[in-house]
Amino acid sequence: MLDNSELLALIKERVCYTDLVYQRVNTKLKVDLSRAEIETLVQAILGDQQAMLKKRGKNYYVTSLARHTRLTINSFNFRLITADRI
């Protein structure tokens, strides 16, 4: 079983995106970021040593208090589902 930091590193390495998720992230976070900027933001959150990771059902929830953002990632295929302000 992986610890949280190892699991975050694995997610960071394997996270993937759909065309729809870029639009969803911009809508939910009320921003207008490019695809590259969204991917950079996600990588920064996943690389944050203070990020909190929880698994609920089939999803991982990665929370960055510093960025006031929570990522929802599918635990089976590591696909980003959405991002929310917290």
Side-chain angles (χ1 to χ4, degrees):
M1 190 75 179
L2 299 174
D3 71 17
N4 276 358
S5 62
E6 293 170 328
L7 189 50
L8 277 170
L10 179 65
I11 295 168
K12 184 176 180 180
E13 179 183 311
R14 294 188 180 176
V15 67
C16 60
Y17 309 85
T18 62
D19 289 336
L20 180 63
V21 82
Y22 295 105
Q23 180 182 354
R24 186 180 304 133
V25 168
N26 276 325
T27 301
K28 298 278 283 233
L29 297 182
K30 295 181 174 77
V31 293
D32 187 23
L33 301 174
S34 69
R35 288 176 176 232
E37 290 170 322
I38 289 171
E39 291 174 16
T40 300
L41 173 65
V42 169
Q43 290 294 316
I45 291 170
L46 293 173
D48 181 357
Q49 298 297 322
Q50 304 300 316
M52 295 178 289
L53 176 68
K54 288 185 181 176
K55 183 171 192 254
R56 221 175 315 139
K58 68 175 189 163
N59 295 328
Y60 290 119
Y61 296 90
V62 182
T63 304
S64 171
L65 296 177
R67 296 177 189 275
H68 306 287
T69 305
R70 180 182 63 229
L71 304 176
T72 305
I73 299 171
N74 183 295
S75 66
F76 299 116
N77 58 17
F78 299 101
R79 185 167 292 144
L80 179 66
I81 297 169
T82 193
D84 295 292
R85 284 273 173 226
I86 55 166

